Amino acid sequence: MSGVLLAPLAAAPVIPDFGRGSTCIRDNKLFCWDWVQSNWGGTLRPALIQHIELTLIAVVVGFAISFVLALAAYRWSRLEPPVGIVAGILYTIPSLALFQLLVPVTGLSRTSAEIALVSYTILILFSNILEGLRNVPADVRDAAEGMGLTRWQTLWRVELPMALPTIVAGLRIAVVTVVSLATVAVFIVNEGLGAPIYAGLQNAFKTELIAAGALTVALALFADGALVLLQRVLTPWARTARS
Amino acid sequence: MNSANTAQAEGPNAYPSAAPLEFRNVSKRYPRSDRPAIADLSFSVPAGEICVLVGPSGCGKTTAMRLVNRMTDLTSGDILLDGESVTQRKPAELRREIGYVIQQIGLFPHQTIAQNIATVPKLLGWEKDRTQRRVTELLELVSLPSEMGDRYPAELSGGQRQRVGVARALAADPPLMLMDEPFGAIDPINRERLQNEFLRLQAEIRKTVVFVTHDIDEAIKMGDRIAILREGGVLAQYATPDELLARPADDFVARFVGADRGLKRLTLSQLHDIVLLDVPTAHVGDAASDARERAAQRDADELVVLDGGEQPIGRLPVARLNGQPVSADDADPLTSTASRETSLRDALSLVVADRNRPLVVLEADGRLAGLVSLELISAALRPADGAGSPEAARGAQR
Ligand SMILES: Nc1ncnc2c1ncn2[C@@H]1O[C@H](COP(=O)(O)OP(=O)(O)OP(=O)(O)O)[C@@H](O)[C@H]1O
Ligand SMILES: [Mg+2]
């Protein structure tokens, strides 16, 4: 257990030397822009990229799993309660506890981090995909069947496109959740924006803490905005429906 | 399966324009239900005719329709489309050959009107050009501007959506159309417009149509034949509208068609279906004695006064002829007139409103066609056999 918590320390970046650099850095002022400039390439940018990778992998894998589960539960409604309960339990386990549970199995690896992150997306994505499909009005489904669309064609051409707004809404929550949770993954693997945040915490260096934290927030906002745009492009009909 | 389908669709006469439909002792009992929804239903619809299924709510109209395209499977009996049992067909393929307008229209909200209409052609693998042309043609057929093709269903009015529903069902030129209360949710004025449009359209395309409604007036208006169902999906009567109104098979039918069935029969025919009364006329300026003589010849107590262009301008009681030449001022102005297209029922109401005075009927060009009296209208209500009956006249007109 303690090994896990010590892990980031062992691999932590060198504690900044307060004696060098600008007066701002030496005095550990609230925010030193010059520190950000000189550490962008070496610390912040790699951390940001890793963070995006962690998030993308978790959301893509989580979506794939949830999608299959939701389609199955849509087809056989008896599957919904068991899937819902398991996804609910995974969602409610505190993230730190889950990370620690996984370490004995998958080690201090990116895999452990991803498994934990994925497990948080499933409840949200599963319920939103399922809800989106179920919200397709019965008359539309009836019309599709009556015109000779097969079940599969109805799913891909009618039900999924119509569920898109609800699905994207789920994706937005999932992405924002994962972006923020991925900072905690630093307790297993020294990757992502969690690393500079943790380092900033360890040596009480405010600029690093604030810069990494701000990047995390910016990433979440950016991803959310991108998904909103994506939905606008994919569902032009949803806008006219409201007016 | 796909290639066979496509080959069929691409042929010059891929589908017959209409196919006969036959119900043979059809029964349907839903699982966990103690009584059948359809019981031993038999009737046949000749190709190109509109058969209206009518009956109280829950009597199995929608079920009967869904048995045809196999959205529901029958318990016993058989349904033949163009002589072939529908149970021998693959459901999805069968449905692509049957236009289906469901009770709630069910347009795809995420697709444009053009995409909605192109649904079945796309399933059949039509080429883009051909589909495109067909969509344009159909929009025109149902009187929608072609720009509407790019809109989404949410941007249309109820009546426009209804038209799109019909166009979508017609897209692959199916030999059979199933229409489940297609105009049910529409205000009376637009419903009448849609009904008339559909009748005009049907005169052009001549599909076999099964049309469901619970409104007996709509049934009488739309149907070449009407099947009245009672609770439990039992056929109460299958007949032409005129026969149904003239000779209801039993109390249930009589009550369903209503106590005013005699009046309803009058809606089935129009003034051009009957021979109008001849009426003496006089032109403005004619000598009073000439006019009086003309009226006396026909034993009439009034004349219709015409202007120089032969247009009726008033009616003049003979008693008012006082030696002066005929003048428009002496005549009663024409308060109400009818045209050849006026239904007998509307004519009756105009006659009654004018204290039973015979009504002046005008030709399309405004000239005098004749008069219609209460006696003429009631004569048209006599049992309908042979030529001259409202139904025979209607058949000839369509
Ligand atoms: N899927 C189903 N399962 C069980 N019973 C059904 C089902 N669909 C219809 N029924 C029953 O079958 C009977 C006929 O229903 P149907 O929908 O065909 O009536 P309808 O004449 O179309 O009525 P309405 O005028 O209200 O549309 C009803 O008693 C209904 O409750
Ligand atoms: Mg119904």
Side-chain angles (χ1 to χ4, degrees), chain B residues 57-63 103-104 180-181 212 214:
Chain B
S57 190
C59 70
K61 305 181 293 291
T62 300
T63 303
Q103 206 160 344
Q104 311 84 348
D180 197 348
E181 299 199 30
V212 164
H214 55 241

Side-chain angles (χ1 to χ4, degrees), chain A residues 2-240:
Chain A
S2 63
V4 176
L5 289 173
L6 285 174
L9 269 189
V14 179
I15 299 168
D17 185 348
F18 284 59
R20 277 187 288 137
S22 65
T23 44
C24 176
I25 294 173
R26 253 177 289 139
D27 300 348
N28 194 7
K29 293 246 174 69
L30 192 61
F31 190 76
C32 307
W33 187 241
D34 57 327
W35 184 90
V36 174
Q37 280 173 317
S38 54
N39 288 276
W40 174 254
T43 308
L44 292 175
R45 204 173 71 104
L48 177 64
I49 292 172
Q50 286 162 358
H51 206 87
I52 294 173
E53 284 170 7
L54 279 170
T55 306
L56 267 183
I57 293 172
V59 172
V60 168
V61 173
F63 186 82
I65 295 171
S66 313
F67 189 74
V68 173
L69 288 174
L71 290 195
Y74 183 55
R75 176 78 176 76
W76 299 283
S77 49
R78 268 176 311 149
L79 286 181
E80 192 196 348
V83 174
I85 289 169
V86 173
I89 291 172
L90 286 177
Y91 188 73
T92 44
I93 297 178
S95 46
L96 274 177
L98 185 57
F99 285 141
Q100 307 229 356
L101 282 174
L102 283 166
V103 170
V105 188
T106 40
L108 290 169
S109 61
R110 198 182 236 205
T111 315
S112 301
E114 291 292 4
I115 291 175
L117 293 177
V118 163
S119 68
Y120 284 101
T121 65
I122 290 181
L123 182 69
I124 300 161
L125 292 174
F126 170 78
S127 17
N128 274 59
I129 297 170
L130 190 57
E131 189 196 317
L133 290 173
R134 291 208 173 136
N135 281 350
V136 173
D139 59 304
V140 171
R141 225 177 284 129
D142 228 34
E145 191 191 348
M147 280 188 288
L149 275 83
T150 60
R151 239 204 174 99
W152 198 242
Q153 286 167 331
T154 305
L155 181 68
W156 286 97
R157 296 185 191 187
V158 179
E159 293 171 318
L160 281 171
M162 285 184 67
L164 216 52
T166 319
I167 295 176
V168 175
L171 267 176
R172 288 172 59 188
I173 303 173
V175 165
V176 172
T177 308
V178 171
V179 166
S180 105
L181 269 183
T183 56
V184 188
V186 74
F187 288 105
I188 311 184
V189 56
N190 192 26
E191 282 186 3
L193 289 165
I197 290 177
Y198 191 78
L201 280 172
Q202 288 296 305
N203 53 33
F205 184 54
K206 291 174 195 146
T207 298
E208 187 169 19
L209 184 63
I210 291 173
L215 277 177
T216 312
V217 173
L219 178 60
L221 289 177
F222 173 81
D224 195 47
L227 282 170
V228 171
L229 276 182
L230 179 75
Q231 183 189 333
R232 288 246 175 113
V233 173
L234 289 182
T235 61
W237 53 276
R239 258 171 302 159
T240 61

Side-chain angles (χ1 to χ4, degrees), chain A residues 137-150 153 157-159 161-162 235-238 240-243, chain B residues 1 66 69 71 92 95-96 98 100 102 104-111 116 119-120 122-123 152 154-155 168:
Chain A
D139 59 304
V140 171
R141 225 177 284 129
D142 228 34
E145 191 191 348
M147 280 188 288
L149 275 83
T150 60
Q153 286 167 331
R157 296 185 191 187
V158 179
E159 293 171 318
M162 285 184 67
T235 61
W237 53 276
T240 61
R242 245 167 280 133
S243 64
Chain B
M1 152 197 152
R66 287 167 158 256
N69 70 2
M71 287 175 77
R95 289 173 199 151
R96 291 170 197 175
I98 298 177
Y100 185 28
I102 67 164
Q104 311 84 348
I105 317 178
L107 293 184
F108 298 153
H110 64 296
Q111 293 186 347
N116 264 283
T119 305
V120 179
K122 208 172 146 202
L123 288 174
Y152 289 97
E155 299 168 280
R168 183 172 71 169

Side-chain angles (χ1 to χ4, degrees), chain B residues 63-131:
Chain B
T63 303
M65 206 158 251
R66 287 167 158 256
L67 291 173
V68 176
N69 70 2
R70 297 201 54 194
M71 287 175 77
T72 304
D73 275 316
L74 38 76
T75 311
S76 66
D78 203 358
I79 296 176
L80 307 179
L81 176 60
D82 210 6
E84 195 187 348
S85 168
V86 294
T87 59
Q88 303 303 309
R89 306 286 312 272
K90 282 194 187 141
E93 272 176 40
L94 177 73
R95 289 173 199 151
R96 291 170 197 175
E97 286 175 31
I98 298 177
Y100 185 28
V101 184
I102 67 164
Q103 206 160 344
Q104 311 84 348
I105 317 178
L107 293 184
F108 298 153
H110 64 296
Q111 293 186 347
T112 61
I113 300 310
Q115 287 170 330
N116 264 283
I117 295 176
T119 305
V120 179
K122 208 172 146 202
L123 288 174
L124 294 173
W126 286 19
E127 279 161 25
K128 262 213 167 76
D129 282 3
R130 184 176 172 205
T131 307

